[in-house]
Amino acid sequence: MTALDLSYKDQLIYLAIRSFYNSKDKYCYPSYKAIAKKAGVTPKTVSASVKRLRASRLIDVWTIVGKPRHSFAYKFPDCETYQKIPYVLLDIPDLTSFERGMLILLFEYLDEDYTTTKSLSELETASGESYKTLYTQLKSLRTKGYITECYRESSVPNKLEKVISLSEKLRSILPPELKDVRSRTFKTVKPDKSDEIWDFVKAMLRNNRKR
């Protein structure tokens, strides 16, 4: 994500746009206002984020001729990206846009069982987000009961490692088929480093650019 110069807020906008996608068509057509409402942000935020997403080649943006200003169609070059992140995250009423974005970011680093042992420092390096931002938003998610933190013995003798997990409160609203999608992706995409989904996305983008 750092290499693509995208933030967790951009991931939120990406998922919001993607939620309008119809597999029967090549495009989706949400307005900035509709995207903003889905993500819980302003249309101005959507406009700025779409420019970054377009530059990163995560989305293709097409202007619709003859329509009012800001009428666009969106196409996704990589149709598999973010299939492991459920759209239900956009509909949780007591989450702020920042908390939604942080949950989306966290999903990138969760293993098949919805846990990660990455420290905040490691998440900072991997995601490009500041330590303060990660700490603040994860603390808020923990306070609201959407994630849990505990310690367990690590593979290193006499060392404990922190484990961040999705809470039962959140797991209970995830679609049951998501578990199968995650499991298949972990087994076929990157079995040795399954918690680094974004690396897979970047590799696909590099391959697209070479064509």
Side-chain angles (χ1 to χ4, degrees):
M1 185 162 59
T2 305
L4 293 174
D5 197 26
L6 297 174
S7 74
Y8 72 110
K9 299 172 189 175
D10 295 320
Q11 292 174 273
L12 171 63
I13 301 304
Y14 176 93
L15 194 67
I17 298 173
R18 187 66 179 264
S19 70
F20 291 94
Y21 179 71
N22 185 339
S23 60
K24 294 181 181 180
D25 198 356
K26 294 180 180 180
Y27 310 93
C28 60
Y29 312 91
S31 65
Y32 280 178
K33 185 176 180 179
I35 298 167
K37 182 177 180 180
K38 176 70 72 172
V41 298
T42 66
K44 184 177 180 180
T45 297
V46 172
S47 176
S49 186
V50 165
K51 290 178 182 178
R52 291 189 291 271
L53 290 168
R54 188 176 189 178
S56 72
R57 299 189 182 182
L58 279 179
I59 61 174
D60 291 334
V61 182
W62 302 71
T63 301
I64 301 177
V65 179
K67 291 288 186 177
R69 187 183 178 192
H70 300 317
S71 294
F72 303 110
Y74 302 91
K75 188 176 181 182
F76 303 91
D78 167 26
C79 292
E80 299 301 320
T81 302
Y82 283 99
Q83 280 202 9
K84 292 191 294 180
I85 301 178
Y87 298 135
V88 69
L89 298 183
L90 298 170
D91 300 321
I92 301 175
D94 64 334
L95 292 181
T96 67
S97 60
F98 300 106
E99 292 161 351
R100 288 192 186 98
M102 187 55 60
L103 267 181
I104 294 169
L105 181 150
L106 187 61
F107 256 79
E108 297 176 33
Y109 306 104
L110 297 176
D111 62 22
E112 186 178 339
D113 295 319
Y114 302 114
T115 65
T116 181
T117 56
K118 283 187 177 294
S119 67
L120 286 183
S121 295
E122 289 172 325
L123 287 173
E124 179 183 23
T125 299
S127 70
E129 299 296 339
S130 71
Y131 188 98
K132 181 179 180 181
T133 295
L134 290 163
Y135 176 84
T136 300
Q137 299 305 325
L138 290 176
K139 179 181 178 181
S140 183
L141 288 169
R142 188 176 68 250
T143 300
K144 291 185 177 182
Y146 289 105
I147 64 171
T148 62
E149 294 179 357
C150 66
Y151 288 93
R152 72 182 181 193
E153 295 182 6
S154 71
S155 57
V156 181
N158 299 318
K159 295 285 186 180
L160 295 178
E161 60 185 6
K162 180 183 285 188
V163 180
I164 300 175
S165 306
L166 299 189
S167 69
E168 288 303 319
K169 175 182 178 180
L170 181 53
R171 295 184 193 214
S172 66
I173 63 176
L174 297 179
E177 64 273 14
L178 181 66
K179 183 74 174 180
D180 293 333
V181 173
R182 290 178 64 83
S183 179
R184 289 197 304 272
T185 307
F186 281 125
K187 291 176 181 177
T188 60
V189 173
K190 204 173 179 64
D192 57 332
K193 290 185 179 180
S194 60
D195 60 338
E196 296 180 0
I197 302 170
W198 197 256
D199 285 348
F200 167 63
V201 177
K202 290 189 288 186
M204 291 195 70
L205 290 172
R206 287 194 295 270
N207 289 336
N208 287 339
R209 290 167 184 159
K210 292 178 181 178
R211 294 174 184 173

